Amino acid sequence: MSKIFVSNWKMQLNYSASLKLANDFKKKFKNFSGLAVLCPDFLSLAAVAQIIKTTPLKLGAQDCSLRDQGAYTGEVSARNLKALGANYVIIGHSERRQYFFETEAIINQKLRDAQVDKLIPILCVGESLAERKVGLTKAVLKNQLRLALKNIKPGLIIAYEPIWAIGSGRVAKSEEVELIHAFIKQEARQILKKAVKVIYGGSVTAADFASFKKTKNIDGFLVGGASLKATEFHKICQL
Ligand code: PGA
């Protein structure tokens, strides 16, 4: 089964650096046969769409509005993202939960909206270090999944991103990720009545190749920092 690789550029690059990176990706991935999704910021999305149009790379957004259209200052709708050529959208990233106060109800509404507009959502879930330390990981994940996936159709991707691993250089151990992914798959299947793909995110680099190679419940990776270099992300995509 081919894996899914998502490159999350966050708010790390200005417009011209984004276009340069997209061009680097275009060169590096011209013969790529897997599924790799680039998620630039909203500002660069249209230009990146043009640059990667003739490549096997797919386009995603880092977020979308929970509304479809109307007087919602500052928002970007899933409908417009789709029209621009995006096929994927990251929803409920821990940075959005933490810094922009996104609740499970908001995340659930965004998932619905993305599905109405035929974007494939990448739902992020994950526990904090404090929750992990007191053994709450599974309870936290179960709660996030139950609330976020209410009345959601199958056909989304779940990204397990332990908050303590994001941008910290501390990758979760592959054996542990395997077990947690098995748990997430089981919970999500109960809710959605269908199998779901689960990818891992949190400080992944090409150096993790060996430890992640033999796993069976890890359907791909959501990569931040290490995906800001086309060569490094391309190496990760060989996993
Ligand atoms: P990171 O980010 O790879 O820089 O830890 C992953 C993410 O937040 O999606």
Side-chain angles (χ1 to χ4, degrees):
M1 184 195 60
S2 89
K3 288 190 170 15
I4 305 155
F5 300 93
V6 184
S7 166
N8 179 7
W9 300 4
K10 305 194 181 185
M11 202 177 72
Q12 303 286 15
L13 305 171
N14 65 22
Y15 183 70
S16 58
S18 295
L19 302 205
K20 181 183 176 311
L21 183 58
N23 276 304
D24 291 348
F25 272 103
K26 180 180 175 174
K27 279 185 225 129
K28 201 79 207 166
F29 282 75
K30 64 173 185 286
N31 297 318
F32 186 65
S33 58
L35 175 54
V37 183
L38 306 188
C39 302
D41 67 2
F42 284 139
L43 194 65
S44 328
L45 211 82
V48 172
Q50 288 308 311
I51 294 169
I52 65 170
K53 200 163 66 185
T54 54
T55 75
L57 292 159
K58 302 285 181 208
L59 190 66
Q62 299 174 17
D63 184 31
C64 68
S65 176
L66 43 61
R67 304 277 181 242
D68 225 20
Q69 196 188 352
Y72 301 109
T73 303
E75 290 290 273
V76 177
S77 70
R79 186 189 294 176
N80 274 355
L81 294 169
K82 180 73 186 180
L84 211 65
N87 283 306
Y88 297 83
V89 59
I90 299 171
I91 292 180
H93 191 285
S94 65
E95 286 150 14
R96 298 219 54 87
R97 294 174 189 255
Q98 191 182 349
Y99 306 126
F100 305 102
F101 317 109
E102 286 196 6
T103 61
E104 301 300 340
I106 291 175
I107 290 163
N108 176 256
Q109 186 58 51
K110 288 187 174 190
L111 288 174
R112 288 188 208 200
D113 220 62
Q115 288 195 325
V116 165
D117 290 305
K118 311 242 171 328
L119 288 176
I120 298 174
I122 302 165
L123 166 67
C124 299
V125 294
E127 81 286 2
S128 67
L129 190 56
E131 288 160 342
R132 173 183 156 89
K133 278 189 175 152
V134 293
L136 280 177
T137 300
K138 283 189 177 172
V140 167
L141 294 171
K142 192 180 173 99
N143 192 49
Q144 289 175 341
L145 291 169
R146 193 175 52 84
L147 297 172
L149 295 179
K150 195 169 171 213
N151 295 325
I152 296 302
K153 292 187 285 203
L156 80 165
I157 296 162
I158 296 177
Y160 170 55
E161 295 212 305
I163 298 168
W164 50 269
I166 297 174
S168 65
R170 288 181 59 193
V171 193
K173 288 202 176 69
S174 60
E175 311 86 66
E176 201 179 326
V177 177
E178 269 284 273
L179 294 175
I180 294 177
H181 280 207
F183 173 75
I184 292 174
K185 284 181 184 215
Q186 176 193 315
E187 291 296 315
R189 186 188 256 281
Q190 263 179 29
I191 303 168
L192 299 167
K193 313 280 178 244
K194 249 198 149 154
V196 64
K197 295 201 167 158
V198 182
I199 64 178
Y200 168 78
S203 295
V204 173
T205 67
D208 303 306
F209 200 96
S211 70
F212 279 110
K213 196 148 176 71
K214 294 180 287 292
T215 53
K216 72 169 197 295
N217 284 315
I218 304 174
D219 300 316
F221 298 90
L222 173 49
V223 191
S227 74
L228 297 176
K229 288 201 179 83
T231 321
E232 176 78 4
F233 189 59
H234 188 262
K235 275 193 209 150
I236 294 171
C237 291
Q238 311 307 311
L239 265 170

